[in-house]
């Protein structure tokens, strides 16, 4: 290879490296916008960024001066003189040709440079593979832009997406700095933990914190040694939200209002406390049930935005599965509920990309327990997008065999199941393989662990009753016969296969029926959601041939896994296709109060006022509280009292405090 070609390659690599550096700097700027902390932390960040920018500008100026001096000295063409008038004007390349030793040294240096660069890249790739998380398949190729429900909806309607294409580089760059969408105008900034809000910390800060089941179990490798290097065994990878004392007081008031069941009081509470995500989520659910979807989406997004602002910058579950949350902790439970509500909203709106991405985000934070039950529906979201990348994701999830189903039972004992032990994943895996084989040639399809027909035959042998349920749901004639298809005889054989194994010595009737009921619940949910995916003519013929093969083997269905019992606690309406609306005559929510909840105004007077906290009972207050379903100590709208509202203007509070019969709310009366 000539020196000119090597120099050209080096210039191309320098340009590519410069573009990657610019992209990384832009990503860092987006991450800096999400930084949380108090005023002192913000001041420190601003000063550090200014120093960095000034130092960078100094380096650029020095490099520019150095480059200009070099171009003035060596890169200029040598003018023609009388001594070399017979030859052409010489350039730098001509001077190098006169010294062959310098040329060889340059070529050797260039080759050494390329070898060292390639070696560094190879080492970095190997180190990235070694540092890969055990559950990395969950978030591989996950586009963070799909987590923004409004942006994906706009892109589906061709109104405009959350990303634009750079006309220079052609790369798509995101306009948002938050995963679930940018903050709307007027939201302000939620208070940090120091300022009376929510914060986050790792388990390293609390040595007394223990890992939950099954993450506290010991892992034995192939050699019989205990593996203590798994991601979930490191305390630094476990996070939890923390509440400040001020936030705990607001949360206690919310729980009092929640017990009364008064939705309007909840709306007034949110108007006074706009940054309590638990209350926002509860009112968002009520708004969806009263057919106010836009208001419900705004409240739901604000709830997720508060949690995202409160999280640490190192908490990035959408990139690597090394960031875990314990859903059993009360501080973390509301975050899981908010994400589950976003999954449900996206599914009802037909935005399956967002539903799948948020489900993967949810599963990545607690992959061994699946607290929200997204494994019941994630396979349907992946297949309904009709994209090959999502089919490959489903196949990879099953064939990696890293997702396990843990069920903790103190009486029977703990049990562990595989992903294919769930009927929806067994059939969805076969469907994904069937699509994958149709999209590529037969030579590449043999790379998989098994073919689509083998996977479907295995699924029918394990769960034979689903075949009849799919046919009935798709209005297929199961009593007619033809020259090619005979469902009547085939279904009779499948029913005989789905009988309890009474002859088995390990058969336990109680455990079997409990596992069978959970399996039937999952199967019913799978058939209702995924039946249309199995309605094609070619798919029904493929299903018939696989059922004939399963019956010909003469093997009865195996006992369902005991680990499926953990999904028996999930309600059928968790992933319903439509929202259950309240009747119009029973609509308890005042639209004017809901409108005030959507406006964040911390300087507005409070609508909910506490009673006398000095221990002195007020008869008028007791009567008013009894009239409002016993909301003790809570009065809506205020009343004529001798208390001073601290939210009033400063001059008014000062003048009223001079009167001896007035006192500030929350302060004890002066001593006699």
């Amino acid at each position: 290879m000539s020196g000119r070609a090597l120099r050209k390659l080096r210039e191309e690599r320098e340009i590519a490296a410069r573009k990657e550096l610019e992209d990384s700097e832009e990503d860092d700027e987006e991450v800096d916008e999400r930084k949380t902390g108090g005023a002192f932390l913000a001041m420190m960040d601003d000063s550090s960024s200014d120093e960095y920018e000034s130092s960078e500008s100094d380096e650029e100026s020095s490099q520019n001066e150095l480059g200009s001096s070099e171009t003035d000295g060596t890169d200029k063409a040598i003018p023609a003189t009388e001594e070399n008038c017979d030859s052409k004007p010489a350039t730098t390349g001509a001077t190098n040709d006169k010294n062959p030793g310098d040329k060889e040294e340059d070529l050797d240096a260039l080759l050494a440079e390329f070898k060292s660069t390639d070696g560094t890249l190879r080492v970095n790739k190997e180190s990235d593979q070694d540092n890969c998380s055990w559950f990395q398949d969950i978030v591989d190729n996950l586009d963070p832009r799909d987590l923004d429900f409004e942006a994906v909806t706009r892109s589906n309607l061709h109104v405009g997406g959350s990303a634009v294409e750079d006309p220079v580089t052609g790369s798509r760059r995101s306009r948002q700095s938050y995963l679930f969408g940018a903050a709307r105008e007027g939201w302000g900034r939620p208070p940090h933990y120091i300022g009376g809000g929510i914060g986050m910390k790792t388990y390293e800060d609390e040595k007394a914190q223990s890992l939950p089941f099954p993450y506290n179990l010991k892992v034995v490798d192939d050699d019989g040694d205990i593996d203590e290097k798994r991601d979930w065994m490191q305390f630094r990878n476990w996070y939890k939200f923390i509440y400040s004392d001020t936030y705990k007081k607001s949360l206690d008031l919310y729980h009092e209002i929640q017990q009364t069941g008064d939705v309007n009081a909840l709306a007034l509470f949110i108007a006074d406390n706009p940054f309590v995500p638990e209350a926002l989520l509860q009112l968002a659910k009520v708004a969806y049930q009263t057919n106010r979807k836009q208001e419900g989406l705004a409240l739901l997004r604000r709830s997720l935005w508060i949690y995202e602002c409160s999280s640490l910058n190192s908490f990035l579950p959408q990139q690597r599965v090394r960031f875990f949350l314990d859903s059993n902790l009360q501080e973390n439970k509301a975050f899981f509920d908010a994400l589950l509500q976003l999954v449900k909203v996206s599914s009802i709106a037909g935005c399956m990309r967002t539903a799948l991405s948020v489900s993967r985000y949810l599963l990545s934070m607690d992959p061994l327990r699946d607290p929200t039950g997204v494994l019941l529906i994630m396979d349907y979201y992946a297949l309904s997008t009709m994209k090959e990348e999502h089919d490959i994701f489903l196949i990879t999830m099953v064939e990696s065999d890293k997702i396990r189903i843990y069920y903790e039972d103190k009486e029977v004992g703990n049990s562990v199941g595989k992903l294919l032990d769930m009927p929806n994943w067994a059939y969805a895996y076969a469907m994904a393989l069937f699509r994958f084989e149709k999209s590529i040639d037969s030579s590449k399809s043999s790379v998989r662990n098994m073919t689509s027909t083998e996977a479907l035959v295995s699924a029918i042998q394990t769960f034979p009753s689903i075949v009849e349920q799919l046919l009935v749901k798709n209005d297929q004639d199961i009593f007619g016969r033809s020259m090619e298809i005979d469902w009547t005889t085939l279904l009779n054989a499948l029913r005989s296969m789905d009988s309890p194994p009474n002859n088995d010595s390990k058969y336990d009737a109680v455990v079997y029926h409990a596992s069978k009921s959970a399996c039937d619940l999952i199967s019913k949910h799978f058939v209702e959601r995924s039946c249309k995916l199995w309605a094609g003519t070619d798919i029904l013929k493929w299903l018939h041939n696989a059922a004939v093969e399963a019956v010909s083997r003469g093997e009865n269905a195996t006992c369902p896994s005991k680990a499926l019992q953990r999904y028996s606690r999930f309600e059928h309406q968790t992933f319903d296709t439509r929202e259950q609306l309240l009747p119009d005559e029973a609509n308890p929510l005042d639209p004017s109060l809901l409108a005030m909840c959507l406006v964040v105004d911390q300087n507005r007077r409070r609508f909910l006022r506490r009673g006398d906290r000095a221990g002195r009972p007020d008869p008028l207050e007791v009567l008013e509280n009894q009239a409002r379903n016993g909301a003790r100590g809570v009065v809506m709208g205020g009343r004529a009292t001798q208390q001073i509202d601290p939210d009033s203007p400063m001059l008014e509070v000062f003048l009223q405090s001079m009167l001896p019969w007035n006192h500030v709310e929350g302060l004890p009366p002066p001593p006699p």
Side-chain angles (χ1 to χ4, degrees):
M1 183 180 293
S2 64
R4 182 179 301 174
L6 289 173
R7 291 190 185 88
K8 186 176 181 180
L9 288 175
R10 182 171 61 179
E11 292 176 358
E12 292 177 355
R13 290 200 174 188
E14 290 178 354
I15 294 174
R18 192 179 302 111
K19 289 182 179 179
E20 292 179 359
L21 180 60
E22 292 176 358
D23 295 339
S24 63
E25 289 178 355
E26 291 180 0
D27 296 338
D28 294 340
E29 291 177 359
E30 292 180 357
V31 173
D32 290 340
E33 293 179 2
R34 295 182 58 250
K35 286 187 176 180
T36 57
F40 294 101
L41 181 58
M43 293 170 61
M44 293 174 64
D45 291 340
D46 293 339
S47 61
S48 61
S49 61
D50 294 339
E51 293 175 359
Y52 175 78
E53 291 175 357
S54 61
S55 62
E56 187 177 4
S57 61
D58 295 340
E59 291 178 1
E60 290 178 354
S61 61
S62 62
Q63 290 178 359
N64 292 333
E65 293 175 359
L66 181 59
S68 62
S69 63
E70 290 178 354
T71 54
D72 293 339
T74 58
D75 294 341
K76 287 184 178 181
I78 301 176
T81 59
E82 296 180 357
E83 297 178 357
N84 56 6
C85 60
D86 296 335
S87 62
K88 295 181 180 181
T91 58
T92 308
T95 57
N96 291 336
D97 291 339
K98 294 180 181 180
N99 298 325
D102 297 340
K103 181 178 179 180
E104 293 177 359
E105 292 178 358
D106 293 340
L107 290 177
D108 294 339
L110 289 173
L111 291 174
E113 178 183 354
F114 279 106
K115 288 181 180 179
S116 61
T117 305
D118 294 338
T120 305
L121 292 176
R122 191 177 297 108
V123 170
N124 291 335
K125 290 181 180 180
E126 293 177 356
S127 61
D128 291 340
Q129 293 177 358
D130 295 338
N131 296 329
C132 185
S133 174
W134 180 259
F135 303 108
Q136 189 62 29
D137 297 333
I138 301 176
V139 296
D140 268 347
N141 300 322
L142 174 63
D143 192 353
R145 292 171 295 189
D146 291 341
L147 297 174
D148 188 354
F149 171 72
E150 291 186 340
V152 175
T153 304
R154 290 194 300 267
S155 64
N156 292 338
L157 298 176
H158 303 285
V159 178
S162 63
V164 294
E165 186 172 350
D166 194 338
V168 179
T169 61
S171 61
R172 302 181 67 191
R173 296 180 181 178
S174 177
R175 290 179 178 176
Q176 63 176 0
S177 57
Y178 294 92
L179 288 177
F180 306 103
R184 294 189 178 182
E185 185 178 359
W187 280 4
R189 184 76 179 181
H192 193 255
Y193 175 75
I194 301 176
I198 307 177
M200 177 182 274
K201 62 181 180 180
T202 62
Y203 280 13
E204 283 186 330
D205 302 331
E206 293 185 359
K207 299 299 182 182
Q209 194 76 30
S210 59
L211 298 181
F213 175 85
Y215 299 97
N216 56 357
L217 300 178
K218 297 180 180 180
V219 179
V220 181
D221 55 12
D222 298 335
D223 298 333
D225 300 329
I226 298 177
D227 188 1
E228 298 180 354
K229 296 182 180 180
R230 295 294 173 89
D231 301 327
W232 61 83
M233 297 182 179
Q234 308 297 328
F235 279 87
R236 66 175 180 272
N237 295 334
W238 283 87
Y239 294 78
K240 63 175 294 187
F241 289 99
I242 52 177
Y243 295 159
S244 62
D245 295 338
T246 304
Y247 185 83
K248 289 179 180 178
K249 294 179 181 179
S250 301
L251 204 59
D252 293 340
L253 178 58
Y254 160 69
H255 290 155
E256 292 180 10
I257 298 174
Q258 190 180 25
Q259 292 176 359
T260 63
D262 192 346
V263 182
N264 294 320
L266 176 62
L268 292 174
F269 171 80
I270 293 177
D272 295 338
N273 305 272
F275 299 118
V276 180
E278 289 88 348
L280 292 171
L281 176 61
Q282 184 65 36
L283 189 61
K285 294 180 179 179
V286 176
Y288 274 102
Q289 291 178 353
T290 56
N291 202 17
R292 294 182 174 89
K293 299 180 180 179
Q294 295 297 329
E295 292 83 355
L297 179 61
L299 295 172
L300 176 61
R301 281 198 52 211
R302 196 201 304 176
S303 175
L304 292 171
W305 173 72
I306 293 171
Y307 278 115
E308 192 171 0
C309 291
S310 304
S311 61
L312 297 175
N313 292 333
S314 58
F315 183 71
L316 300 170
Q318 76 280 2
Q319 294 183 2
R320 289 192 176 185
V321 191
R322 289 184 176 176
F323 312 96
F324 304 99
L325 283 178
D326 187 3
S327 59
N328 294 333
L329 296 180
Q330 189 65 29
E331 295 84 357
N332 300 336
K333 187 176 183 301
F335 183 53
F336 282 89
D337 294 341
L339 290 174
L340 183 61
Q341 180 67 16
L342 181 59
V343 172
K344 184 177 181 180
V345 168
S346 304
S347 175
I348 294 175
C351 191
M352 299 304 174
R353 285 167 49 194
T354 302
L356 176 61
S357 299
V358 179
S359 300
R360 296 169 64 179
Y361 185 90
L362 264 171
L363 185 63
S364 66
M365 293 185 294
D366 197 346
L368 294 182
R369 293 187 298 178
D370 187 21
T372 55
V374 293
L375 288 178
L376 296 173
I377 196 65
M378 186 187 296
D379 59 303
Y380 167 72
Y381 294 151
L383 293 176
S384 60
T385 57
M386 307 300 291
K387 290 187 177 182
E388 184 180 354
E389 57 178 336
H390 295 153
D391 295 339
I392 296 176
F393 157 74
L394 197 151
I395 296 172
T396 306
M397 283 276 292
V398 174
E399 293 182 352
S400 64
D401 198 21
K402 294 181 180 179
I403 303 297
R404 299 299 177 93
I405 306 170
Y406 285 85
Y407 176 67
E408 185 178 13
D409 192 348
K410 297 181 179 179
E411 297 180 359
V412 181
N414 303 331
S415 56
V416 184
K418 297 182 178 181
L419 203 56
L420 288 179
D421 292 336
M422 301 181 66
N424 56 329
W425 280 90
Y427 279 82
Y429 174 60
M431 174 65 74
L433 286 175
F434 180 76
R435 292 181 179 179
F436 183 74
E437 292 173 357
K438 290 179 62 177
S439 62
I440 61 176
D441 54 1
S442 58
S443 60
K444 296 182 180 179
S445 62
S446 60
V447 180
R448 316 311 309 182
N449 292 349
M450 61 176 65
T451 62
S452 59
T453 304
E454 293 175 352
L456 185 57
V457 169
S458 177
I460 294 175
Q461 286 182 324
T462 310
F463 312 103
S465 62
I466 293 183
V467 177
E468 183 177 359
Q469 297 178 26
L470 288 173
L471 296 175
V472 173
K473 196 68 177 179
N474 289 322
D475 297 330
Q476 296 294 322
D477 186 11
I478 60 176
F479 300 104
R481 297 180 179 179
S482 64
M483 297 296 295
E484 296 181 356
I485 297 178
D486 182 10
W487 285 116
T488 304
T489 306
L490 190 59
L491 291 179
N492 292 331
L494 291 177
R495 294 189 192 102
S496 61
M497 291 174 56
D498 195 16
S499 57
N502 299 324
N503 299 327
D504 192 355
S505 59
K506 298 181 180 179
Y507 172 73
D508 189 349
V510 177
V511 176
Y512 173 80
H513 288 290
S515 304
K516 182 63 177 176
S517 61
C519 182
D520 293 340
L521 180 64
I522 300 174
S523 302
K524 180 181 178 181
H525 188 271
F526 163 72
V527 171
E528 289 183 358
R529 295 303 298 268
S530 304
C531 61
K532 298 303 179 183
L533 301 176
W534 297 79
T537 305
D538 55 341
I539 295 178
L540 289 175
K541 185 176 181 180
W542 170 57
L543 179 64
H544 179 270
N545 296 334
V548 172
E549 177 66 22
V551 171
S552 63
R553 295 184 181 182
E555 299 178 0
N556 291 334
T558 58
C559 295
S561 175
K562 295 186 294 183
L564 297 181
Q565 299 181 28
R566 72 178 315 275
Y567 289 103
S568 59
R569 59 184 177 87
F570 289 96
E571 298 180 357
H572 183 67
Q573 295 80 9
T574 304
F575 303 101
D576 201 356
T577 55
R578 59 174 60 92
E579 192 73 50
Q580 295 182 356
L581 301 179
L582 297 175
D584 296 337
E585 59 273 10
N587 190 352
L589 185 58
D590 189 353
S592 60
L593 296 181
L594 180 61
M596 289 188 297
C597 297
L598 301 177
V599 180
V600 179
D601 187 4
Q602 298 183 356
N603 297 324
R604 181 171 48 195
R605 289 193 178 187
R606 287 178 290 176
F607 295 98
L608 286 175
R609 299 185 180 183
R610 303 290 296 179
D612 190 1
R613 300 181 185 179
R616 298 177 300 180
D618 191 342
L620 181 60
E621 182 179 355
V622 173
L623 292 176
E624 289 180 351
N625 292 337
Q626 291 178 356
R628 291 177 174 83
N629 299 326
R632 191 171 188 80
V634 179
V635 182
M636 293 190 301
R639 56 182 173 82
T641 62
Q642 294 180 346
Q643 294 182 355
I644 300 176
D645 188 0
D647 294 332
S648 301
M650 186 64 66
L651 181 60
E652 182 181 350
V653 173
F654 173 71
L655 294 177
Q656 289 182 357
S657 63
M658 299 177 65
L659 302 177
W661 53 80
N662 289 336
H663 63 277
V664 180
E665 178 185 356
L667 296 179

